[in-house]
Amino acid sequence: ADTCLYSLLGLMVTRLEQADRLPPDHPRLDAAALQAYIHEHLTDTITVEDLARLVSLSPSHFTRTFKSVFGTSPMRYVIELRIGRAATLLTTTQHKLAEVAAAAGYDDPYYFSRLFKKITGATPSAYRKR
């Protein structure tokens, strides 16, 4: 848990530093509003088009701007949040894998398991046992 917390804090600092280095004429995103929207809709289908529409940018311009501010693509950001939620549920509850997958926004537990392993390096079951 400590390692995850330190990693998350380091990632947040890095992304904040990247946002500070943007030129003054660079389009700014309302990061707080985007993060709130993503958190509120984490179990829903979220597309780049939906997010771009929220900030009145084209999907390609939005993706470039998002990446320059957050240091990652919009969909990678969503995936990391979902996997983070799943990791928390795996370590703090005894919910079945299908329930954890659904709570993280994935309808297919098999797909969720493969993605979880790809991101964390461990299967959901192995992660829970750690």
Side-chain angles (χ1 to χ4, degrees):
D2 288 341
T3 304
C4 290
L5 177 62
Y6 293 131
S7 296
L8 178 61
L9 290 173
L11 182 61
M12 289 171 59
V13 168
T14 301
R15 290 188 180 162
L16 288 171
E17 288 172 349
Q18 288 172 339
D20 287 341
R21 290 189 299 247
L22 295 175
D25 62 337
H26 193 279
R28 297 281 177 179
L29 294 178
D30 185 349
L34 274 173
Q35 288 172 323
Y37 177 86
I38 292 169
H39 280 275
E40 289 171 17
H41 296 89
L42 201 55
T43 58
D44 301 336
T45 300
I46 298 175
T47 66
V48 171
E49 290 77 14
D50 294 335
L51 297 174
R53 201 172 10 263
L54 283 174
V55 295
S56 303
L57 293 175
S58 71
S60 60
H61 191 195
F62 168 75
T63 299
R64 282 191 308 274
T65 304
F66 187 97
K67 192 168 187 173
S68 69
V69 171
F70 288 92
T72 189
S73 72
M75 295 319 298
R76 178 67 183 204
Y77 182 81
V78 170
I79 289 168
E80 288 174 358
L81 285 178
R82 287 178 173 171
I83 296 301
R85 177 181 281 180
T88 299
L89 290 172
L90 287 168
T91 58
T92 60
T93 70
Q94 291 301 315
H95 294 316
K96 294 181 180 181
L97 182 62
E99 295 170 327
V100 171
Y106 296 100
D107 296 329
D108 182 355
Y110 180 70
Y111 173 74
F112 163 74
S113 293
R114 287 191 334 235
L115 184 61
F116 189 92
K117 183 173 182 181
K118 181 179 177 182
I119 300 294
T120 66
T123 64
S125 299
Y127 190 89
R128 176 175 268 167
K129 288 178 185 174
R130 279 198 256 167

